Every structure is written in structure tokens, then in C-alpha cells.
Amino acid sequence: MTTLDKPASVALPDEPPGPADRPVRRELGVANVLSHGFLLFWGALTVLPLLWMFISSFKSNAEILADPWSLPGALRFDNWSRAWSGAHIGQYFLNSLVVVAGSVTLTMLMGATAAYVFARYEFRGKQVVYYLFVGGLMFPVFLALVPLFFVVRNAGLFGTWTGLILVYAAYSLPFTVFFLTAFFRTLPTAVAEAALVDGCGHFRLFFQVMLPMARPGLISVAIFNFLSHWNQFLLPQVLMQGDESKWVLAQGLAALSVNQGYAGDYAQLFAGLTIAVVPVLLVYILFQRQVQSGLTAGQLK
Amino acid sequence: MRHGKYPLIVTFLVPPVLLYVIFVVSPYLQAFQISTTDWLGYSADANSVGLANFKTLWNDDYVWNALKNNAILLALVPVLTIVLGLFFAAMLNMGGRKGRAGVSGVRGSSFYRTVYFFPQVLSVVIIALLWKEVYHPNKGLLTSALNSVGLGAPTWLGDPRTAFWCVLAVMIWSNVGFYVVLFGAAMSAIPKEIYEAVMLDGASRLTTLWKVTIPLLWDTVQVAWVYLAIFALDGFILVQLMTNGGPNFSTDVIGVRMYDTAFGSETKFGYASAIGVVMFFLTLTVAVLALRASKRDRIEYS
């Protein structure tokens, strides 16, 4: 940071110290147009496919084939109902809800209790167990895929929601424990000690004092886990083969895409995709800040 | 904290540890063992064959082809994503200047950030299926746009010459927004005084970005590098759903190879696990190398 030591008078020659304001502003005008141009371009690139999907979900198949860029002649909601009940997207949607509700609850319960112990108590072997958990952050799920298939099958959990819930939770523990341990450490020890002195038991201390104080951290991790469980594809594809009525949303959409190739019902596919996208985008827009911080912390630490 | 803490430790720790050991630790350990057998799945017999699977792997042209594709992804996806991410993050966070005293974001920067992040919250499945339609040779957005201005369009995912680049473009599309947000957060942690001082010295915007912002962001860039490298070695879901490795294996990646070997027409679990072990060591190597290569002195703001 040598530039910091230079006196201000050593300005570049093309920028005289006196009436510098005007040229600077003009340069900014051009740069601003440019930068807004690039920003708008990428924004359009991001939104366009999504918008196209949304608009196409109201079109007829003939309209979709004739001109992909046109607007629908009428709002055909029957595409949506065809996707929802005909292609069972509604069923898969509810299945996903059940699985994710179970897995996020289980993940948060187990992650929070384990993290609390790691952050607040001393016992022998603590380091080993902690690093056993956190080590799981580094390994690709792929390596575990084949044996996991048999572990789940031998436990009699193959093709069941319980199996998926347990597996999702197990694979979410490394990050959840890692993040929440750091979070519980930041909570004031004085409060905990005061509660203990007042005769509060260890369990009550956790549920009535520490857990409420940790709420911001818990919410961030829960949103992170919700999105990653909701978007799971690899694990259900391996562990939920067979019985179609139990599939989760991602599997249902993949199957719909394949069937659409034979049936030529593009409108139904777009409607199905839109049904899957809208709730997630709504959750995101409502909880933007938590989602962004949760995901950036989640994928990189 | 002395009295009665052990009941709590036991009740709080044993269930998660059990769950984790059964479903995570034990499969990882078994994978190494299975990779040295000729196990064909559902039958009980698995004979130990030592390193024979790895020898077969070495001579497997399909695996090499997939690895080559992963290598191209590894070379291009992180660089392009990080450059675009830094570029847009810089635009959003330093695009505007308030008078002569400091930098600020352009107007509407929080709106842009929100929109750019969209692909990150969507499932990869949806991204893959949606882009498959965008690339559709008859009714896709791209083809008809090109046709309407009188240009011929390739068949995108149907052509071995273009399919790989189409998939690569989707990978970058889906990742950039995340890094805009990440780099943006790191940029806003840089103290304003530094920018004020640099601007008083008359540094141009580009110089400021190149000489001040990026060096101060290096830690974050390094982390991004590692994550993107790991991402580039995977690519399974996008490839499987968009092209399934085709046409003519032009988009095949090692993850698809492994999945097909294990759960495709034949269930060669031993061989698939060997591919998994190779992926494991590749990922580890790439992560270590990326960390090494981007090592610089840490900068902390006091």
C-alpha cells in the first residue's frame, strides 16, 4: 500500500487539481452508460430463460412450436393443471415437502445439539469427533454413492422417505455442525453461567436460553439446508428408484422432460418447471439477505 | 458447568454421531475396499482383485475421454466465472463515484444482485431442463433468434462440435451470480478510506480495481477457485440431463462415467468405485494445487 504514503499533490498530470470536477464527471457519464449496459445485458441473460419458461407455460403447443418469442394468445391455465395432476407434479411437490420438512427438522435438531456440545463443553476425544464431522465437508458424495446404496438397502430403507430423510440429514451435518459450532462459541458465556448459578439444568439451559439466542444462525443454516435438500437430485435418483408415487420433485421433472420428448407436450413441461420454480423464487425474494449469506457461507467454508 | 454435564453430552452427541457414521463415514470407507473387488452388484460374491480395476481404468479410452472433458472444464470454468464475477461485482460496488470522495455502487445495484443470484437458488435439475429447451433445435430461444436475423443455427446439443461448449456456457451462466454476491460482500468489507486515499492520488478506476481491490480480494478469489475447480470435476447433473454424455461422448464427464458404470445397464460396482476413488484423489489434488498456486500474503485490515 505504498500509494497511501504519496502526498495528494502528486496527482496524474492529465487531471489538474483545480477544475477537475467537470472532466471527471464526463468520464463518469460514459463509464456509467457502459457499466449499465453490461449489467443490463447479464441481467437479461439471467432473466430471459426464466421469463420464457413462465410465458411458455401459458401457451399452446402449437404456439410454442410456431414462434418461441411470441406471447401467448390466451392464458391457458390448463397447462398448469395438466402438469399438476396429469404429470403428478403436484404429488411430487408434496412428496418433496414431506421429505424436506423431515430432513431439515432432523438436520437442525441433530446439528444444533452436536454443535452446542462442541462449542460449550469439554470432554475427552472432542477434537477427534469434531474433525470427523467437519472432514465430511471435503469429500465428493460420488465416492460414497455405491456403498451408500447398499447401506440404505440393508437397513431396509431403500425407496422410502425415511431413508432419504436420514441420508439428507447425515450429509448436511458437516456444514451444519461446522457453522453452528462457530456460532454457539460467539454467544456470551456470562449468560449461561448466570443461568446455571440460578439453578437452571443443562438441558433447560440449552432449550430455553442458548437456542433462542442462536436464532439468527439457526435461521441462516435452516434456509441453506432447505434449499439444498429441496434441490437434491443425485441422492433420490440413487436411493428412490422404482415406486414412482414416492418420487421427489426433481425426479418428477426429469421424467416429465423425457416423456415430453415422446408426447410433444411442451406446454406441460414448461408449466411443470414453473410450478417448481415459483415457490423457491418467492422464498428467495422474501429472505434474500439470509439466503445470500447462508449460501455464500455454506458453499465456501 | 460441572454438575450433570455428561447426560447432556451423551444425549446430544450420540444420535448425530451414529447417523453420521452409518450413512457417511462407513460408505466412504467401504468405497475404497469395494474398488479392489470385481463386485457386480446384487450377487453376494465379490472377489478381491487387487489393483486390477485401476489397471483397466488406465486403459479405458472412455474414461480418458471423460477426463479430457473434465480437464477442459477445469481450465475454463473457474477462470471465466471468476473474471465475470469480479467484473460485475466491481461494476456493482465501485461503478459509481460520489464526487471525489470515495466509491459507491451504481444505482439499482441491489436489484442487479438479486436478479443475478436467481440461478443459484434454482435446482440444477431445473437449470438443465430449462436450458435443454433453450437449446432446442426447432423451438428453442436461440435458434429462432438466429433464424429471425437470417443466420443459420447449429443444432447446439445435437452436434458433437457444439454440445460441449453449450454445456460449459450453462455452467458459467449458473455460477456467475453467486460469485458476484460473494465478491461483492468481500469488496464492501474494504475500508472506504483506502479508496479515498487512492482517488486523491488520482488513480483511475481501472488502476483502482487492478491495484487495490483485486489484491485485497485475493483470499476470496482463492476460495472461489477451489470451489469452482471441485465443481468442474463434477458436472454430473447438468451433463446427464442435458446430453447424457452424448452426442458421440463429446460431453461425457467422469461423474457420468461412474454413474453409468454403477447404475447403468451393467452394475459394475467394483469398477465404479475405482472411478470414485480416482475422482476423490483428483479432487483432493486439484484443491491442494489450487490453494498452493494462489497462495499470497494475507492482508488484514486493521
Side-chain angles (χ1 to χ4, degrees), chain A residues 38-220:
Chain A
F38 282 121
L39 289 170
L40 274 176
F41 172 73
W42 191 265
L45 211 60
T46 310
V47 172
L48 217 72
L50 294 171
L51 201 63
W52 179 62
M53 169 192 79
F54 184 71
I55 291 172
S56 300
S57 75
F58 293 110
K59 290 159 85 167
S60 69
N61 282 308
E63 284 174 332
I64 291 175
L65 283 171
D67 182 7
W69 289 82
S70 67
L71 288 172
L75 292 183
R76 291 183 188 78
F77 281 101
D78 62 301
N79 293 334
W80 286 51
S81 60
R82 212 161 59 243
W84 180 264
S85 45
H88 308 294
I89 293 299
Q91 172 77 55
Y92 300 142
F93 195 98
L94 297 178
N95 292 351
S96 275
L97 267 187
V98 171
V99 171
V100 171
S103 62
V104 171
T105 312
L106 190 67
T107 308
M108 293 314 292
L109 191 69
M110 292 207 162
T113 50
Y116 176 68
V117 172
F118 288 131
R120 295 259 150 193
Y121 291 92
E122 288 304 326
F123 57 94
R124 210 183 299 165
K126 175 170 130 170
Q127 295 294 325
V128 178
V129 188
Y130 178 70
Y131 283 112
L132 184 73
F133 268 110
V134 176
L137 276 173
M138 299 196 296
F139 302 120
V141 184
F142 261 107
L143 181 60
L145 219 49
V146 169
L148 180 66
F149 175 82
F150 287 95
V151 167
V152 171
R153 214 177 60 144
N154 295 341
L157 295 169
F158 185 75
T160 64
W161 290 336
T162 320
L164 274 191
I165 290 173
L166 290 174
V167 170
Y168 283 9
Y171 281 85
S172 309
L173 277 177
F175 168 68
T176 309
V177 167
F178 178 76
F179 187 98
L180 287 179
T181 303
F183 202 85
F184 277 120
R185 279 205 189 110
T186 64
L187 298 180
T189 316
V191 177
E193 277 171 357
L196 283 176
V197 167
D198 285 350
C200 179
H202 285 278
F203 284 92
R204 224 179 114 200
L205 173 69
F206 174 71
F207 286 106
Q208 292 198 331
V209 180
M210 302 309 271
L211 218 45
M213 281 204 293
R215 202 155 73 195
L218 293 173
I219 290 174
S220 282

Side-chain angles (χ1 to χ4, degrees), chain A residues 197-269:
Chain A
V197 167
D198 285 350
C200 179
H202 285 278
F203 284 92
R204 224 179 114 200
L205 173 69
F206 174 71
F207 286 106
Q208 292 198 331
V209 180
M210 302 309 271
L211 218 45
M213 281 204 293
R215 202 155 73 195
L218 293 173
I219 290 174
S220 282
V221 182
I223 292 175
F224 169 79
N225 282 323
F226 168 79
L227 281 173
S228 73
H229 293 181
W230 184 262
N231 291 335
Q232 258 309 329
F233 177 65
L234 189 57
L235 291 174
Q237 178 159 305
V238 171
L239 302 175
M240 189 57 85
Q241 301 164 10
D243 190 357
E244 288 184 22
S245 66
K246 288 186 178 168
W247 279 3
V248 297
L249 193 54
Q251 293 175 285
L253 288 172
L256 180 60
S257 165
V258 172
N259 291 337
Q260 167 265 127
Y262 304 122
D265 194 348
Y266 305 109
Q268 190 189 35
L269 175 66

Side-chain angles (χ1 to χ4, degrees), chain B residues 142-154:
Chain B
L142 274 171
T143 306
S144 62
L146 285 179
N147 284 342
S148 66
V149 293
L151 288 169

Side-chain angles (χ1 to χ4, degrees), chain B residues 186-233:
Chain B
M187 279 179 191
S188 59
I190 298 175
K192 284 264 187 288
E193 296 81 50
I194 294 184
Y195 285 117
E196 281 168 22
V198 177
M199 286 181 63
L200 282 174
D201 286 348
S204 76
R205 239 192 253 241
L206 208 63
T207 322
T208 315
L209 177 65
W210 197 245
K211 293 265 164 82
V212 178
T213 311
I214 291 182
L216 287 177
L217 237 58
W218 204 249
D219 265 1
T220 316
V221 172
Q222 175 184 328
V223 176
W225 205 281
V226 174
Y227 174 61
L228 280 164
I230 293 172
F231 172 85
L233 283 179

